[in-house]
Amino acid sequence: MSNLARALFHGLSGSHWAQAPVEGQEAIHYRELTRMSAVLAVSSEAALLTLGGELKRRESLSARLGDALSCLYIASAALKRFADQGRQPADRPLVAWVVRDALYRAQQAVFEVYDNFPIPWLGRVLRWTLFPYGAVHRPPEDTLVAHAADVILRSGEARERLTDGLYLPDESSEPLAQLEVALRAATSAQPVLAQLRNAMRSGQLAGGDPEQCLMEGISAGVINETEAALVSAAVTARRRVIDVDEFPAGYWAEEPDSCQHKPVPSPRAARST
């Protein structure tokens, strides 16, 4: 009964009065997780009361409850990691994305439980009761996704903390090592490419792909040879990452397609054989 009371109270108050160990934007995450955990508890109890042992055989229903639990666990782990690492400001976009995405997915999983409840009217009552204002969680907006991606794609302490403990090979033939080289090269080349794009906008250079206009940029004095070499190195590193190695170069040219040299039998001839 306490779970139901908590879910009702936090649902009506927008979890504004839920306790949080911190303040600010991070506190909102803790409050929303508190509310969603109460919602999941009530939903699980309702499923157990109505289905009993049958819930184990309703695998789709129990799996959705498990999905919601997994999302709450991921959000809690992200907040704990953020706290353990000193609440670094650079990591806030990552934490916000993880928590908001997890809460949205947990909410949708619970809604699917209500939509497929064995007693349809009980599912509708649970949804109206536990979500009196409708769906409260939305997926992360594009601006937040872009900020989180920017943290991951830029070399720095935030990315080092995120990849701490991951195996990074030193051999240049390893795909992961090639990916790291390509990332560093692309980061170094971005300012040079920005200069070329600005020159194209101003009419100093003809429009086109800036990676293909390095010589023109040097001739126009937009960039120097050292900067052009950075772009060339980035292009080479990127091509090495995306190139496939299933077939050697010129493989298809070595042997012509044998099907072109064999006559195709007619259906009548095939039946006679």
Side-chain angles (χ1 to χ4, degrees), residues 90-200:
D91 295 346
R92 291 189 184 279
L94 298 176
V95 176
W97 182 87
V98 171
V99 174
R100 291 186 56 180
D101 181 74
L103 286 171
Y104 171 73
R105 293 178 182 272
Q107 172 188 262
Q108 297 306 109
V110 171
F111 282 171
E112 291 178 6
V113 170
Y114 300 156
D115 293 339
N116 294 275
F117 224 66
I119 305 177
W121 65 265
L122 181 56
R124 291 191 293 270
V125 169
L126 285 172
R127 181 163 183 164
W128 295 335
T129 303
L130 302 180
F131 293 88
Y133 307 120
V136 295
H137 298 295
R138 300 289 186 271
E141 62 271 9
D142 292 345
T143 53
L144 177 57
V145 175
H147 289 158
D150 188 64
V151 174
I152 297 173
L153 294 176
R154 290 185 182 275
S155 299
E157 294 183 0
R159 190 170 186 274
E160 292 299 323
R161 285 191 297 271
L162 189 64
T163 58
D164 183 36
L166 295 181
Y167 170 67
L168 296 176
D170 297 327
E171 297 80 1
S172 59
S173 59
E174 291 286 343
L176 189 55
Q178 296 174 5
L179 190 62
E180 284 293 306
V181 171
L183 176 61
R184 290 194 294 269
T187 302
S188 301
Q190 283 303 315
V192 183
L193 294 173
Q195 294 180 37
L196 292 171
R197 293 190 185 97
N198 291 333
M200 291 176 181

Side-chain angles (χ1 to χ4, degrees), residues 196 200 208-216 231 235 238-239:
L196 292 171
M200 291 176 181
D209 185 356
E211 294 179 353
Q212 305 297 326
C213 302
L214 300 180
M215 297 306 298
E216 291 81 354
V231 177
V235 172
R238 183 184 64 206
R239 185 178 296 117

Side-chain angles (χ1 to χ4, degrees), residues 15-116:
S15 51
H16 180 74
W17 302 105
Q19 295 182 353
V22 295
E23 297 180 355
Q25 182 64 36
E26 189 183 348
I28 298 177
H29 299 327
Y30 281 97
R31 295 188 183 106
E32 291 175 340
L33 280 174
T34 298
R35 176 194 176 183
M36 189 56 68
S37 65
V39 168
L40 178 60
V42 173
S43 303
S44 301
E45 291 169 355
L48 285 171
L49 287 173
T50 55
L51 290 172
E54 182 69 18
L55 181 61
K56 293 195 300 182
R57 289 181 286 274
R58 297 288 187 97
E59 295 182 356
S60 297
L61 204 64
S62 60
R64 293 185 179 102
L65 293 171
D67 290 343
L69 178 62
S70 300
C71 290
L72 297 184
Y73 178 84
I74 290 173
S76 301
L79 288 171
K80 183 180 185 304
R81 180 185 177 89
F82 182 64
D84 291 344
Q85 294 184 340
R87 295 186 169 88
Q88 302 297 327
D91 295 346
R92 291 189 184 279
L94 298 176
V95 176
W97 182 87
V98 171
V99 174
R100 291 186 56 180
D101 181 74
L103 286 171
Y104 171 73
R105 293 178 182 272
Q107 172 188 262
Q108 297 306 109
V110 171
F111 282 171
E112 291 178 6
V113 170
Y114 300 156
D115 293 339
N116 294 275

